Every structure is written in C-alpha cells, then in structure tokens.
C-alpha cells in the first residue's frame, strides 16, 4: 500500500486519530497507522489504499494542513537521500517533462535562506528536466524538518539551524481544504451566538466524529445557540434540536438586526443557519426537558451530538422542585395555573439542578434508546485532570454501548473530554492510548426508554462529579 505524509495543524493533538478514523469510516475505507506513531508530533506517515482516500482526508479533516505522497525520511540528509534514491520508482516518472517547485520548511524553527538553497541543491541527483515554476507547477516537492521545542533554551537560531529531530520528503497530493471552515464558522462573525457558544474548530471536530453527512439525521438535546447544528448541517445532515430553555434557540430581534432590514427573518438559531445556507436542514427546534421528552419510539437518529451544560457559564436543569410542596402550597400552585390559563399568561414550570455525572449517565441511556444500531453519541464532558481515571468513562456505560474515542482538550487544572459512544451490532472499542483494541458485539437488541429515576449518585464517584462546585472552589483537594 502507498504511504502518505500527513502534516497536522498544531492544535488538539489528541483529536487527530479519532478524526482520521471517523472520516475514513464515513467514506468507507480503512487507514493503517503504525502503533509507534507519536500523536504529539506534527507529522505522521500512514498507509492508504489509494490517492483518492488521501484527498478525502484532506477535504474533510479539520486538523490536516497538507497531505504528501511519502518518499523518504531520515535523521539526517544522508539517510534521507539514501532512502529517496531507493524509492526512485515513486518519482522517476516526473523527471523528463514535469514542471515543479521545491518547498523547504521546518516545524518549531525558521531555516536560514542560505541553507534552504543548499538543501534544494542536494536533491540534484533526482535529475528533473522540467521547468521550475514557482506559481503553477505540476508537482510540488516538500522537505520538512522537525525541531524540538526550544522554549526556555538559551540558543540562537543560527546555532540551532540544522539540528533537527527528523526530516521528511514527499510530493504534495492536496492541501487541507477543511481548515477554511474554521474561519467560516467563526463565532465572532456569526449573526447569533451566546456565552455558551462553542468555538468553531472544536465544533467541526465533533461534527466529524459524529460522521455528519448527507442522509444522516442528527439530534442535539442541549441545542442552546446551535453551535453543533451549523457544522453538521453544513456537511449535509438533517438536524433536530431541543433545549429545556427555548429562549436560547429562539433568540430575540435587536436594534442592530432591525438596522439591517432583517425584521422579516426569524431570530435565533434559524437566522444563523440561514447565514450558512443550511436553514432548510434544520428539521425543528423544540422546547422540552430531556428527562420528560416526547419520544415514543427508539432507533430514530443516526447520531446524537451535543455540548451539555456543566455549570461554569450555564448550569444544567431538569423539571422539578428542590423541595416538596406542602398541601397549602400545592393548592396555591393549582389556583395559579388555572388563573394563568384563563388569562393566557405563560406558565413557567419550576426546575432544579441536574448534577453532571447523573446527566452524563442519563445521556448515554437516552442515546441507547434513540440511536439506530451503529449510531454514535458525541459529547463534551468536563473533568478534573488530577482526579480523572479511565473508570470515570466506563462507569457511564450501559449494556449495548461501548467507547470509541476519548480525547482531551486540556485547560490546565481541568479539561473537556470529547467522548464518543457507539451502539452497534458490530461494535469496536478504540482506546486512544497508542494501542488499538477491538471488541465485537453482535446484537440488534431494542432497549426501553430511560426512566430517569431520582437518585443521588451512580455508584462510582467520577472526577466530573459535582464539577460546578469543584470549579468555583478552585479544584482544591478534599473539596
């Protein structure tokens, strides 16, 4: 199988492998990644069945900057040139009549111009006879030097030049077109957003792990201002959203919107969806509590993707009261409801806090009921890094659901984990550790809707238990 060099963007390194696997699964092909690959490094060599698969990854993967056909690599240029000469069957067909240009660059360093020219000259044994074209070449040959981080080291650029960790060489196949979507979905440029809106890059990564695409029906049970609805709809999926507070989804027309002659357009999520050209893919937006949901049958959705509230900017709520009412207060409540209905005043039901660990466990149960076999649940789960253990994720699982990926977005003392669960008759368990484990489960069992019974805990006390309280106490031990 041909090998390809993936050049990654320098962000969210733990998301790289889950995204590659998800996009490959979406398009129906497999990728072969060496077990020795280091996810913290910006370059990865992997095997693909065809160049078309490499182009599919470049068009859809948010974290991929470039894809090159891999020719050689080495710890120094002597080793690189020896490997490149041994692989001359990969590039010999371009020698006689192909216009070209060389690109020499580095990670964590800027190569001196004089040495760039010397590096290009060192490849003269390839004997290219075509024209050098710096604007529109037929092929681009790239040479990449990888340097270790020099932060805090007393060393000049000149002294560091040439002391690289590894050097790679190959031919450009495609640039990462999907990177442009980060700017397209930038929250600052969005017509409607709120203080809980998710940054565009992460929402796009979640959409890829959700396998969003045409003919898919995707549900967001904590829709809010629609951060997840826009990217999954952009990729072709139909989206249904719900939230316990409908005001976030509906929005409200303001003076600035009226100044732009937008009076006739719906505010809120639908306005932003129209901005991205995906309003017709929003099936509906409904107001209800997920623990009092209207779903009367399961196996409805291909994916559930969401960012549940965890109490930092907005707390999770569910219908109910913190304390039971006395008989006198119950009678007063009934009288108020009757008077509100007669006067056409809206009745706002009482809510109570929804503890994060209980919410997460209930979300997995809801997903098992609503997802089709093979469907995915993708959601953010905040956790305290110092206290996190793998059993925290496993404790949320129920029969019929297995973990596919578990990636960390680190904020120092705490982080958000994108957890992807998979309901499947042919389930796979992929632990993003440097080791790939596969477990198969063959079943088409149907499951009843969750009961959401009241309970104080779910047994094991995970690191995300009472996350809101821990956050505002500064994650002190014993808090």
């Amino acid at each position: 199988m041909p090998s390809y060099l993936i050049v990654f963007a320098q962000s969210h390194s733990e998301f790289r492998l889950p995204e590659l696997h998800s996009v490959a699964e979406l398009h129906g092909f497999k990728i072969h990644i060496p077990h020795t690959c280091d996810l913290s490094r910006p370059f990865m060599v992997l095997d693909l069945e065809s160049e078309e698969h490499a182009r599919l990854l470049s068009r859809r993967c948010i974290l991929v900057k470039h894809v090159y056909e891999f020719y050689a690599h080495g710890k120094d240029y002597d080793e690189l040139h020896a490997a490149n000469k041994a692989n001359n069957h990969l590039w010999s067909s371009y020698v006689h009549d192909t216009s070209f240009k060389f690109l020499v660059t580095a990670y964590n360093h800027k190569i001196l111009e004089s040495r760039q020219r010397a590096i290009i000259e060192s490849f003269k044994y390839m004997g290219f006879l075509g024209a050098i074209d710096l604007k529109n070449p037929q092929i681009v040959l790239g040479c990449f030097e990888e340097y270790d981080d020099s932060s805090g080291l007393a060393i000049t650029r000149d002294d560091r030049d040439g002391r690289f960790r590894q050097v790679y060489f190959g031919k450009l196949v495609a640039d990462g077109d999907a990177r442009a979507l980060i700017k397209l979905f930038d929250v600052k440029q969005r017509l409607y957003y709120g203080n809980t809106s998710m940054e565009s890059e992460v929402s796009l990564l979640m959409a890829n792990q959700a396998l969003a695409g045409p003919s898919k029906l995707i549900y967001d049970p904590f829709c809010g201002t629609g951060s997840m609805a826009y990217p999954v709809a952009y990729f072709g999926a139909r989206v249904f959203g719900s939230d316990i507070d409908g005001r976030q989804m509906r929005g409200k027309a303001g003076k600035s919107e009226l100044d732009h002659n937008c009076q006739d357009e719906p505010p809120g999520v639908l306005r932003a969806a129209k901005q991205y050209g995906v309003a017709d893919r929003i099936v509906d937006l409904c107001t209800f509590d997920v623990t009092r949901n209207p779903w009367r049958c399961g196996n409805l959705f291909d994916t559930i993707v969401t960012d549940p509230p965890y109490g930092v900017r907005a707390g999770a709520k569910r219908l109910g009261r913190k304390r039971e009412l006395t008989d006198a207060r119950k009678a007063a409540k009934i009288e108020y409801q009757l008077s509100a209905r007669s006067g056409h005043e809206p009745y706002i039901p009482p809510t109570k806090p929804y503890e994060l660990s209980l919410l997460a466990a209930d979300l997995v149960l809801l997903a098992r009921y609503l997802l089709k076999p093979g469907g995915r649940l993708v959601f953010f789960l905040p956790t305290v890094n110092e206290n996190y253990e793998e059993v925290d994720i496993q404790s949320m699982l129920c029969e019929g659901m297995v973990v596919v990926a578990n990636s960390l977005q680190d904020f120092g003392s705490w982080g958000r984990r994108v957890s992807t669960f998979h309901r499947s008759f042919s389930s796979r368990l992929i632990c993003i550790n440097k080791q790939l484990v596969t477990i198969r489960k063959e079943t088409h069992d149907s499951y009843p809707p969750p009961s959401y019974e009241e309970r104080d805990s779910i047994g094991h006390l995970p690191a995300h238990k009472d996350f809101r309280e821990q956050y505002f106490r500064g994650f002190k031990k014993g808090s």
Side-chain angles (χ1 to χ4, degrees):
M1 296 177 65
S3 297
Y4 293 86
L5 174 66
I6 307 296
V7 183
F8 287 108
Q10 293 313 296
S11 60
H12 308 296
S13 60
E14 285 203 19
F15 293 68
R16 293 169 180 170
L17 227 55
E19 184 181 41
L20 289 173
H21 281 294
S22 297
V23 173
E25 181 178 339
L26 177 65
H27 292 286
F29 64 90
K30 295 181 179 180
I31 56 177
H32 302 272
I33 299 176
H35 296 295
T36 56
C37 72
D38 186 351
L39 295 180
S40 65
R41 298 173 67 177
F43 306 105
M44 178 185 295
V45 178
L46 54 85
D47 298 330
L48 298 172
E49 294 179 357
S50 70
E51 185 175 303
E52 178 58 26
H53 293 169
R55 295 184 182 278
L56 289 172
L57 292 177
S58 69
R59 286 198 292 265
R60 183 64 187 261
C61 289
I62 306 302
L63 297 179
V64 172
K65 292 179 66 176
H66 313 284
V67 179
Y68 279 75
E69 183 181 0
F70 177 67
Y71 287 168
H73 72 101
K75 295 181 180 179
D76 53 43
Y77 277 97
D78 289 338
E79 187 175 323
L80 173 73
H81 290 315
N84 190 41
K85 291 175 183 177
N87 290 329
N88 67 340
H89 62 282
L90 298 175
W91 47 263
S92 58
S93 61
Y94 304 112
V95 168
H96 298 290
D97 56 358
T98 304
S99 63
F100 68 97
K101 81 169 182 178
F102 264 86
L103 172 67
V104 179
T105 187
Y107 167 73
N108 271 336
H109 180 66
K110 184 176 181 180
I111 304 174
L112 298 175
E113 291 186 7
S114 59
R115 201 168 72 83
Q116 287 187 37
R117 290 192 294 269
I119 291 171
I120 294 174
E121 289 295 327
S122 70
F123 287 92
K124 62 183 180 181
Y125 62 85
M126 297 179 73
F128 276 78
L129 302 176
I132 298 175
D133 189 342
L134 300 181
K135 292 185 177 180
N136 297 299
Q138 292 176 279
I139 62 171
V140 175
L141 299 171
C143 185
F144 302 90
E145 295 180 355
E146 179 187 0
Y147 289 77
D148 292 324
D149 188 8
S150 62
S151 300
L153 299 178
I155 185 172
T156 65
R157 190 185 78 166
D158 292 357
D159 293 337
R160 193 165 182 250
D161 197 42
R163 297 164 62 178
F164 48 82
R165 179 178 183 179
Q166 192 80 245
V167 58
Y168 300 86
F169 182 62
K171 177 181 70 71
L172 179 66
V173 173
D175 293 317
D177 296 336
R179 295 289 297 168
L181 297 179
I182 299 174
K183 184 176 180 180
L184 175 66
F185 288 99
D186 185 6
V187 176
K188 296 179 182 178
Q189 308 300 323
R190 193 173 296 169
L191 292 179
Y192 178 68
Y193 61 90
N195 64 343
T196 59
S197 295
M198 182 181 293
E199 58 269 33
S200 60
E201 184 174 18
V202 175
S203 64
L204 288 161
L205 288 171
M206 292 182 70
N208 276 342
Q209 289 202 36
L211 306 183
S215 78
K216 298 290 184 70
L217 180 60
I218 294 180
Y219 174 42
D220 183 353
F222 301 96
C223 187
T225 55
S227 295
M228 288 311 310
Y230 313 127
V232 297
Y234 181 85
F235 288 137
R238 304 285 176 174
V239 184
F240 185 95
S242 71
D243 203 293
I244 192 172
D245 187 353
R247 293 173 296 179
Q248 293 189 73
M249 298 183 293
R250 291 191 295 269
K252 183 173 67 173
K255 292 182 179 180
S256 60
E257 293 172 322
L258 296 176
D259 291 341
H260 289 84
N261 298 320
C262 298
Q263 305 97 311
D264 297 332
E265 297 182 9
V269 171
L270 292 179
R271 184 187 297 281
K274 187 173 182 180
Q275 174 188 358
Y276 298 123
V278 298
D280 59 333
R281 295 175 186 163
I282 306 297
V283 176
D284 209 345
L285 301 171
C286 295
T287 302
F288 58 80
D289 176 9
V290 290
T291 66
R292 300 289 188 273
N293 63 73
W295 309 117
R296 295 296 175 263
C297 62
N299 298 341
L300 291 174
F301 299 102
D302 296 286
T303 304
I304 295 176
V305 58
T306 189
D307 181 25
Y310 42 86
V312 176
R313 294 175 181 168
K317 301 288 185 181
R318 62 181 295 182
L319 295 180
R321 297 181 182 275
K322 296 181 180 179
R323 299 178 181 177
E324 292 295 327
L325 296 177
T326 63
D327 292 341
R329 294 190 66 186
K330 287 181 180 178
K333 172 189 171 185
I334 294 174
E335 183 178 353
Y336 170 76
Q337 289 177 336
L338 292 175
S339 62
R341 291 175 183 175
S342 62
H344 301 288
E345 296 179 6
Y347 170 70
I348 301 176
T351 59
K352 60 182 180 180
Y354 199 178
E355 200 279 313
L356 180 60
S357 63
L358 303 180
L359 183 155
D362 288 344
L363 184 59
V364 176
L365 289 171
L366 178 67
R368 183 178 68 170
Y369 173 61
L370 290 180
L371 289 175
K372 299 175 182 178
R376 286 188 171 193
L377 163 66
V378 184
F379 71 102
F380 255 128
L381 179 70
T383 187
V384 183
N385 291 341
E386 185 178 0
N387 301 330
Y388 171 77
E389 299 176 318
E390 287 297 328
V391 70
D392 292 352
I393 299 295
Q394 299 298 325
S395 66
M396 297 188 300
L397 294 180
C398 56
E399 182 183 356
M401 302 291 285
V402 295
V403 178
V404 172
N406 183 9
S407 308
L408 176 66
Q409 182 183 14
D410 199 345
F411 295 118
S413 58
W414 71 287
R416 297 191 299 185
R417 288 186 176 271
V418 176
S419 300
T420 305
F421 295 87
H422 187 53
R423 177 190 167 185
S424 177
F425 53 89
S426 177
S427 302
R428 293 182 177 182
L429 173 59
I430 303 176
C431 300
I432 304 306
N433 271 328
K434 297 191 179 178
Q435 186 177 3
L436 195 65
V437 182
T438 303
I439 298 177
R440 183 178 296 276
K441 178 181 178 183
E442 297 183 354
T443 177
H444 274 91
D445 293 346
S446 296
Y447 296 92
S451 60
Y452 303 109
E453 71 278 1
E454 296 289 341
R455 61 201 190 282
D456 296 328
S457 67
I458 56 175
H460 168 73
L461 295 181
H464 55 273
K465 178 76 166 64
D466 297 322
F467 179 82
R468 173 184 169 85
E469 289 74 13
Q470 295 188 70
Y471 181 89
F472 287 107
R473 289 173 184 169
F475 302 109
K476 297 178 181 178
K477 289 186 177 181
S479 63

